Amino acid sequence: MRLLLINPNTTAAITDKVVAMAHTVAAPSTELVAVTGRFGAAYVASRAAYAIAAHAALDAWAETPGPFDAVVLACFGDPGLDALRELSPVPVVGMAEASIQSACQLGGRFGIVTGGERWAPMLREFVAMRGLSTRLACIHTVAPTGADIARDPDGSLSVLATACAHAVDGGADAVILGGAGLAGLATRLSQRVPVPLIDGVAAAVGQAEALARLGASKSRIGSFAMPPPVDSVGLCAGLAAQLAGRSPA
């Protein structure tokens, strides 16, 4: 099995962190191919950066030679997720959606802990779009961004543990550590939090492998079928070819 891991920000160190975490949970026979966004913000922490990251994710997918059995969008908030599902012939799994689905299987209501204050309204909107607002207990953001946490995970453990405790007090039966920069910290915090902690990378990789094994075919009708061909200007060659209904050169 081959999985494509897309980090749609431009920080290669975050991609490396995602890959390291993915290797700890993926099957030994699974090949992981990772790609970092060619353009955009160093990390996603605003609506503007999120919008650019969606394009970067599509660009990375279209320009990376396959074939793959599934795609993992390795950015919490899942920029470009539905667009990738529209174009991709194989399953596409986003970190945020996979984490939320896992949390809903582990308890009644879930909390999200993440870095960067602007993420709170953005994630509420994301959860609402997935029809799961009634399952969301709370969102707690911490002052360090995901990039800050990735640079200094040891120094971030205390503030994250406190935020997780607040989420539990707020009614969360499971807590999601949101963000690629927080990959691997759920295990380190598990003894300090009395409810399940969910790592977004682990959830996404596990679900991607499971969907690939199901072998389900792509929708041929409906909103996730291939879109009608359309010409474009200024896109990478691979993405322009996909939109035009042609195989990339």
Side-chain angles (χ1 to χ4, degrees):
M1 183 185 299
R2 295 184 85 217
L3 298 184
L4 173 62
L5 309 179
I6 299 175
N7 170 22
N9 69 44
T10 56
T11 303
I14 295 294
T15 307
D16 294 340
K17 180 176 282 288
V18 167
V19 172
M21 182 62 200
H23 273 299
T24 69
V25 296
S29 59
T30 297
E31 179 185 356
L32 303 174
V33 178
V35 60
T36 305
R38 292 193 306 120
F39 54 83
Y43 58 91
V44 178
S46 67
R47 297 182 190 279
Y50 184 93
I52 296 165
H55 180 191
L58 289 164
D59 176 274
W61 170 78
E63 290 290 285
T64 306
F68 298 99
D69 297 291
V71 178
V72 172
L73 182 53
C75 176
F76 205 75
D78 301 349
L81 176 61
D82 287 341
L84 283 167
R85 285 178 173 161
E86 187 178 62
L87 294 178
S88 175
V90 299
V92 181
V93 177
M95 279 178 57
E97 187 180 64
S99 300
I100 291 167
Q101 290 174 343
S102 296
C104 287
Q105 292 176 314
L106 291 169
R109 301 174 72 209
F110 63 91
I112 300 173
V113 169
T114 192
E117 63 180 10
R118 287 179 179 261
W119 270 114
M122 293 165 63
L123 289 173
R124 289 188 189 280
E125 293 163 11
F126 180 87
V127 173
M129 287 177 60
R130 262 46 199 176
L132 291 168
S133 292
T134 60
R135 304 290 294 275
L136 175 63
C138 54
I139 297 173
H140 287 281
T141 60
V142 297
T145 65
D148 294 332
I149 294 169
R151 283 191 291 268
D152 183 20
D154 292 338
S156 303
L157 289 177
S158 180
V159 69
L160 290 171
T162 298
C164 290
H166 289 323
V168 174
D169 291 341
D173 300 310
V175 176
I176 298 164
L177 290 181
L182 282 67
L185 296 185
T187 300
R188 298 181 63 183
L189 287 167
S190 61
Q191 295 303 312
R192 300 169 68 174
V193 182
V195 301
L197 284 180
I198 297 168
D199 182 291
V201 175
V205 170
Q207 290 187 24
E209 288 183 312
L211 287 172
R213 290 191 186 98
L214 285 177
S217 61
K218 179 178 174 59
S219 297
R220 294 188 295 276
I221 62 172
S223 65
F224 287 98
M226 286 295 296
V230 62
D231 292 333
S232 60
V233 175
L235 301 178
C236 68
L239 189 53
Q242 292 287 345
L243 291 179
R246 306 187 306 268
S247 298

